C-alpha cells in the first residue's frame, strides 16, 4: 500500500468515520466547555492536536520498546498518564520561554489538556493493534501510522469543536425557553451534528 | 447519622455528577447503549471512587499540597490498573464492552474532583460515604439513560426482548447526545421546582412565626 492510499484511509477513518468527539465520545468536556467562541475553540483544537501527536510520539515507542519487552505492559496506564502530564508541563514552559505570542493564545488550554480523555484515548487506541488494523484496513502497524492517526484524530477533534462553536455563537442570539437554554440545547445541537457524521459510518 | 444522610443525598441527587455537575460525560455517552453496560460502568467507577476517596483521606496529612495532584493521579491510576485486571479475569464481557473507556477512568473528572473537593479535607468515614453516594448517583444516572436507550433503541430491557419494534436512532451516537440533553433538562426542571417549593414553605413558616410573635406581643 503506498503512502497516498494510507493517508486517505487514515483521514477518512480518523476525521469522519471514527470522529473522536461525535462517534467515539472522547474529549466531551472541552467540546462543551471551550466551544463558546470560535477563536478559543480553534485554539483548543490546535493545542489538543499538538499534544496528541507529541504524546503518541512518546507513548507508542515507550509501550513497544520498553514496557512490552520488560513484561510490564499492564502498567501502561500509570506510565502514560505521567508521560502526558510531564509533556504538557514541559510544552507550557517551552512555549512561555520561546514563543510568548503562541503561549498567550494556546497556553491557557494546556493545563486542561492533561485530564482530557482524548489524549490518553489516542495513546490507548494506537497500542490496541488488532482494533487499529481493522479500523484502517492495513496490514501492519508502526510509529508512522500511529502518528498519522494522532494528527488526523486531532484534526477531527478541531473540526467538531469549531463547528460546534459556530453553532453556539448563533444560538446565543436566540431567545430560548429557560428549560433548554445552556447544556440541554448544546447536547441537542451535538445530536444533530452526530447524525450528520453518522452518514460517514455507512461508507 | 444526620450528617451522613446529608452527604448521601447530596451525592445521589442534589450534586448528581452526571445530571447536575456534568462530569465524566465521555463514559456517560459511550456506555449507555444498554442498561447492563450503564450499571457495569457505574459500579466500576463507584468502586474506584470509594477506594480512592478512602486512600486519599487517609493520606491527606501525609501528602504535601504542592504535589497533591500527581499523588492523587498515581493513586487513581493504580486502582484503575488493579480493577482492570480483576475485570479482565472475572468479567470478560464487561471488559470488552468498556474497551478504551476502562483505562480512561483515570482521567474521569468525577474521581479527581471528589478527591480534590472532599477527600482531601474530610475524615475517612465521611469521605467513604461521599465516594459511595457520588458513585451510586453516577450509576443511577447511567442506568436510567441505559434503560431509556436500550428500550427505545433495541426494544429490550436488561437483554430481555419486550417490545417488537425499535428505533435505531437511540442506539447511535446521536441518540446518546439527545437522551442526555433531555435528561439534563428534566432533572434541572424537577430539582429546581422542588427546591423552590421548599423555599416557599420555609418562607410561609417564617411569616407565621413572626405573626404569632406579634400577636403575643
Amino acid at each position: 500500500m503506498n503512502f497516498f492510499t494510507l493517508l486517505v484511509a487514515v483521514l477518512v477513518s480518523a476525521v469522519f468515520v471514527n470522529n473522536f468527539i461525535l462517534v467515539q465520545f472522547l474529549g466531551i468536556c472541552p467540546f462543551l466547555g471551550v466551544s463558546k467562541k470560535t477563536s478559543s475553540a480553534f485554539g483548543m483544537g490546535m493545542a489538543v492536536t499538538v499534544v496528541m501527536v507529541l504524546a503518541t510520539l512518546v507513548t507508542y515507542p515507550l509501550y513497544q520498546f520498553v514496557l512490552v519487552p520488560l513484561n510490564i505492559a499492564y502498567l501502561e496506564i500509570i506510565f502514560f498518564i505521567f508521560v502526558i502530564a510531564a509533556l504538557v508541563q514541559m510544552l507550557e514552559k517551552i512555549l512561555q520561554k520561546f514563543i510568548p505570542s503562541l503561549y498567550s493564545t494556546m497556553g491557557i488550554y494546556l493545563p486542561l489538556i492533561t485530564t482530557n480523555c482524548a489524549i490518553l484515548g489516542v495513546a490507548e487506541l494506537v497500542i490496541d493493534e488488532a482494533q487499529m488494523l481493522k479500523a484502517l484496513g492495513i496490514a501492519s502497524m508502526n510509529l508512522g501510522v500511529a502518528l498519522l492517526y494522532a494528527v488526523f484524530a486531532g484534526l477531527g477533534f478541531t473540526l467538531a469543536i469549531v463547528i460546534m462553536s459556530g453553532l453556539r455563537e448563533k444560538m446565543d442570539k436566540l431567545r430560548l425557553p429557560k428549560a433548554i437554554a445552556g447544556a440541554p440545547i448544546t447536547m441537542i445541537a451535538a445530536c444533530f451534528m452526530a447524525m450528520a457524521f453518522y452518514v460517514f459510518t455507512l461508507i | 447519622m444526620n450528617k451522613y444522610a446529608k452527604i448521601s443525598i447530596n451525592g445521589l441527587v442534589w450534586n448528581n455528577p452526571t445530571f447536575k455537575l456534568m462530569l465524566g460525560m465521555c463514559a456517560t455517552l459511550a456506555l449507555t447503549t444498554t442498561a447492563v453496560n450503564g450499571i457495569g460502568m457505574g459500579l466500576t467507577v463507584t468502586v474506584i471512587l470509594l477506594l480512592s476517596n478512602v486512600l486519599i483521606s487517609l493520606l491527606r496529612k501525609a501528602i504535601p499540597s504542592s504535589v497533591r495532584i500527581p499523588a492523587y493521579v498515581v493513586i487513581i491510576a493504580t486502582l484503575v490498573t488493579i480493577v482492570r485486571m480483576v475485570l479482565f479475569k472475572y468479567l470478560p464481557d464487561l471488559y470488552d464492552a468498556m474497551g478504551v473507556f476502562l483505562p480512561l477512568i483515570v482521567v474521569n473528572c468525577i474521581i479527581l474532583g471528589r478527591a480534590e473537593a472532599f477527600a482531601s479535607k474530610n475524615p475517612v468515614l465521611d469521605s467513604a460515604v461521599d465516594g459511595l453516594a457520588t458513585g451510586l448517583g453516577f450509576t443511577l444516572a447511567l442506568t436510567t439513560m441505559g434503560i431509556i436507550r436500550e428500550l427505545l433503541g433495541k426494544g429490550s430491557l436488561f437483554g430481555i426482548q419486550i417490545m417488537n419494534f425499535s428505533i435505531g436512532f437511540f442506539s447511535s451516537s446521536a441518540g446518546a447526545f439527545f437522551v442526555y440533553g433531555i435528561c439534563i433538562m428534566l432533572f434541572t426542571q424537577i430539582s429546581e421546582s422542588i427546591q423552590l417549593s421548599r423555599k416557599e414553605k420555609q418562607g410561609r413558616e417564617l411569616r407565621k412565626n413572626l405573626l404569632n410573635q406579634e400577636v403575643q406581643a
Side-chain angles (χ1 to χ4, degrees):
Chain A
M1 185 186 278
N2 61 28
F3 181 71
F4 185 71
T5 349
L6 178 71
L7 196 73
V8 173
V10 178
L11 185 139
V12 172
S13 170
V15 179
F16 297 111
V17 179
N18 292 315
N19 186 286
F20 253 47
I21 295 179
L22 296 168
V23 180
Q24 304 208 40
F25 303 121
L26 293 167
I28 302 287
C29 299
F31 177 61
L32 297 175
V34 204
S35 61
K36 286 213 176 70
K37 276 185 9 225
T38 310
S39 56
S40 57
F42 188 72
M44 184 71 189
M46 282 295 118
V48 166
T49 311
V50 170
V51 177
M52 233 176 213
V53 175
L54 290 177
T56 313
L57 189 62
V58 180
T59 54
Y60 189 77
L62 178 76
Y63 183 79
Q64 295 292 354
F65 303 119
V66 180
L67 298 186
V68 172
L70 289 176
N71 273 329
I72 49 168
Y74 58 87
L75 290 177
E76 93 217 10
I77 304 172
I78 303 174
F79 276 94
F80 283 8
I81 191 82
F82 255 88
V83 166
I84 292 167
L87 208 67
V88 171
Q89 198 98 106
M90 253 157 53
L91 197 67
E92 203 183 340
K93 288 275 177 280
I94 292 171
L95 281 183
Q96 201 174 6
K97 184 94 173 88
F98 295 109
I99 323 172
S101 61
L102 193 59
Y103 178 76
S104 60
T105 54
M106 209 167 101
I108 40 171
Y109 309 112
L110 283 176
L112 297 173
I113 286 176
T114 313
T115 53
N116 183 342
C117 356
I119 310 287
L120 190 61
V122 80
E124 289 282 340
L125 280 176
V126 292
I127 60 166
D128 188 352
E129 203 155 321
Q131 205 73 28
M132 283 296 290
L133 296 183
K134 213 176 86 188
L136 300 178
I138 53 173
S140 68
M141 185 73 196
N142 55 34
L143 181 61
V145 178
L147 284 179
L148 210 56
Y149 188 78
V151 171
F152 285 117
L155 291 180
F157 180 92
T158 313
L159 179 70
I161 198 170
V162 168
I163 296 176
M164 189 69 199
S165 65
L167 287 176
R168 280 182 79 172
E169 279 185 358
K170 289 259 183 254
M171 279 192 302
D172 278 349
K173 299 195 182 100
L174 299 176
R175 284 182 57 195
L176 293 165
K178 195 171 148 277
I180 64 163
I185 190 71
T186 315
M187 283 293 173
I188 289 167
C191 155
F192 289 113
M193 281 172 65
M195 276 163 87
F197 273 76
Y198 183 70
V199 176
F200 294 113
T201 59
L202 305 175
I203 293 174
Chain B
M1 166 58 207
N2 207 0
K3 184 173 72 170
Y4 298 121
K6 207 178 159 198
I7 295 172
S8 310
I9 198 84
N10 256 334
L12 272 170
V13 186
W14 303 125
N15 278 331
N16 188 292
T18 311
F19 293 147
K20 180 73 203 286
L21 305 177
M22 294 204 279
L23 297 172
M25 284 183 285
C26 302
T28 310
L29 290 166
L31 283 155
T32 48
T33 43
T34 64
V36 176
N37 281 355
I39 291 185
M41 182 70 194
L43 290 181
T44 313
V45 170
T46 308
V47 169
I48 294 171
L49 188 56
L50 176 64
L51 293 174
S52 83
N53 258 11
V54 168
L55 277 175
I56 287 165
S57 177
L58 283 171
L59 293 168
R60 70 184 189 281
K61 294 205 175 82
I63 299 173
S65 72
S66 55
V67 293
R68 66 183 192 286
I69 302 288
Y72 299 161
V73 170
V74 181
I75 293 172
I76 297 167
T78 314
L79 289 170
V80 172
T81 308
I82 296 167
V83 169
R84 192 186 190 192
M85 287 167 164
V86 173
L87 285 183
F88 183 70
K89 182 84 173 57
Y90 295 105
L91 292 166
D93 287 345
L94 187 62
Y95 180 87
D96 287 340
M98 283 162 84
V100 73
F101 288 96
L102 187 50
L104 287 182
I105 295 177
V106 180
V107 285
N108 190 316
C109 335
I110 300 172
I111 299 176
L112 201 60
R114 288 331 284 173
E116 174 75 10
F118 200 92
S120 60
K121 298 185 193 95
N122 288 290
V124 178
L125 200 56
D126 294 26
S127 302
V129 173
D130 177 72
L132 198 63
T134 311
L136 289 178
F138 183 66
T139 312
L140 205 65
L142 253 64
T143 314
T144 314
M145 279 180 64
I147 288 173
I148 297 172
R149 286 185 65 195
E150 192 181 349
L151 193 65
L152 294 172
K154 292 200 174 80
S156 60
L157 203 57
F158 295 99
I160 303 157
Q161 202 70 31
I162 52 170
M163 294 201 306
N164 56 6
F165 73 97
S166 64
I167 311 161
F169 168 73
F170 286 98
S171 291
S172 71
S173 54
F177 285 111
F178 184 77
V179 172
Y180 194 24
I182 299 292
C183 282
I184 296 172
M185 185 185 88
L186 291 177
F187 182 84
T188 322
Q189 276 317 88
I190 293 169
S191 67
E192 265 177 14
S193 66
I194 290 173
Q195 273 163 341
L196 202 69
S197 71
R198 245 189 211 175
K199 262 185 203 148
E200 272 172 8
K201 202 174 155 195
Q202 278 174 350
R204 267 205 303 277
E205 272 169 14
L206 206 68
R207 228 173 296 142
K208 217 194 300 178
N209 285 347
L210 283 175
L211 216 65
N212 279 347
Q213 280 169 1
E214 272 174 28
V215 169
Q216 278 166 5

